[in-house]
Amino acid sequence: AMALADIFKTAEMGAASEGDDAFFSMGGRDIFAHLLLAAAISDRPISDVFLWVSDDNDRTPIEILSENGEWPLVTDALEARYNTVDVTRSGLFAQAQQMAASLGRQAASKWVNPRPNARRFNPDDFVRSKATLYVLSKEGADNAAALTTALTAAVMNAAERYGEENGGRLPIPLVAPLDEAANVVRWPELPKLYSHYGSRSIILMTILQSYA
């Protein structure tokens, strides 16, 4: 949940925050991660996170975590965020709302919420196939960078798991040519993965319009 929240934070807000901005952006990231966890363990669609983060009076996530019982520290941390003074709580939730912005777009939500007769993409099945996945986004207010990055990360993590099942390396290399990576794959972990993934037969290629 925290790794996914980091992806949404970077995609929607950029990587760097300083001073007071860091307090609110990292606090908002933590709230967003805890809401993602609550949605996951209760098998709710990810769009519920958008609804929760838009209403800091809705304590449903705390109830879910408390009833589950496996995450007492997370439950206490989230409850403390809800119970902080109004001005601080508003600032933290405003940051989390910005991170969750793409989940509120109807055109994007239909791709991430279960629908009748829609086939669910399974990254573990994909990395065992010889199929090709095309991940598309664009610049501007309607970009889906958070979702395309999360999808790419899910595939890479599945490939890493599959490689571990085969002695550390994929039996058939997976090649990921990330064209327009700055727009499509805003993954904070990406720079640290090139050497590591190369040793696992996961070949990352990044194509940029400019270094900036």
Side-chain angles (χ1 to χ4, degrees), residues 94-139:
Q95 294 288 307
Q97 289 166 19
Q98 188 174 342
M99 297 171 202
S102 59
L103 298 178
R105 300 181 191 127
Q106 186 174 0
S109 66
K110 71 179 183 180
W111 290 98
V112 294
N113 288 327
R115 290 181 292 142
N117 304 317
R119 184 164 60 94
R120 181 173 181 170
F121 176 79
N122 186 312
D124 292 298
D125 291 343
F126 172 77
V127 297
R128 287 165 171 78
S129 72
K130 295 181 181 180
T132 301
L133 176 65
Y134 294 90
V135 184
L136 306 175
S137 184
K138 62 180 181 180
E139 290 185 283

Side-chain angles (χ1 to χ4, degrees), residues 17 47 49 70 76 78 102 123 133 148 153 156 164-165 179 182 207:
S17 299
S47 57
V49 174
E70 293 188 19
D76 291 345
L78 183 59
S102 59
L133 176 65
T148 52
M156 296 299 107
E164 290 171 353
E165 294 172 11
D179 189 16
I207 303 166

Side-chain angles (χ1 to χ4, degrees), residues 32-44:
F32 188 44
H34 297 160
L35 300 188
L36 287 169
L37 177 62
I41 63 178
S42 58
D43 199 28
R44 295 181 181 227

